[in-house]
Amino acid sequence: MKKLFSLMAIITIISVSNCTRIPENNDPIIGIWSKVEFAENSETGRQTYRQEWIFNDVYLGRYHSYDGNQLTVKTDFSWTQDKGVYTISYPGTDMPAHQVSMKNSDEGTVLEDVQGNILALKE
């Protein structure tokens, strides 16, 4: 009887594992997006500010903000897509959500907010 239960358990595990396929997400937003700004400072010279969004295929990502070489913000985010509009939310922070769409420009593919401001450039 133990052999029969063991055989049925193995068959059940194999059949369940074959049925649970995760659909592949090929959304074009997946990848690394960044925005770099430069500021002149009389004390330190030229200062670099960099923001970076790393989108993955399970509707999550990681946001980094750098002041020069110093990491100032590191947080996770979630994203959704509805009719070409992407909503980027930062749960657990006071950062506002972004609503952006993808556009092609002379610089490459960019994320543009609803006011027409460029949020980030695809790397």
Side-chain angles (χ1 to χ4, degrees):
M1 198 64 159
K2 284 185 179 181
K3 289 182 183 180
L4 179 62
F5 285 128
S6 297
L7 179 62
M8 291 190 60
I10 290 171
I11 291 171
T12 303
I13 291 171
I14 291 173
S15 64
V16 169
S17 66
N18 286 335
C19 296
T20 56
R21 302 253 184 233
I22 298 172
E24 190 171 342
N25 185 351
N26 292 325
D27 197 291
I29 201 167
I30 295 171
I32 300 173
W33 297 76
S34 65
K35 181 177 185 177
V36 179
E37 296 175 336
F38 300 100
E40 295 295 330
N41 187 335
S42 61
E43 296 175 10
T44 60
R46 190 175 199 179
Q47 187 67 33
T48 305
Y49 300 99
R50 176 180 169 87
Q51 294 176 298
E52 181 179 85
W53 293 262
I54 304 169
F55 290 82
N56 69 29
D57 62 345
V58 292
Y59 303 98
L60 298 172
R62 171 82 32 103
Y63 170 78
H64 300 126
S65 179
Y66 297 91
D67 186 354
N69 291 329
Q70 178 99 18
L71 178 65
T72 56
V73 177
K74 179 179 176 183
T75 188
D76 294 327
F77 65 85
S78 62
W79 62 274
T80 59
Q81 191 265 123
D82 184 35
K83 299 177 184 168
V85 176
Y86 295 90
T87 302
I88 306 167
S89 303
Y90 308 90
T93 70
D94 58 353
M95 293 174 61
H98 292 106
Q99 286 195 324
V100 296
S101 58
M102 258 189 272
K103 305 283 184 186
N104 289 321
S105 73
D106 295 338
E107 301 168 1
T109 306
V110 297
L111 290 178
E112 187 177 275
D113 66 12
V114 293
Q115 288 84 23
N117 302 316
I118 295 177
L119 178 71
L121 176 68
K122 187 159 190 175
E123 292 186 1

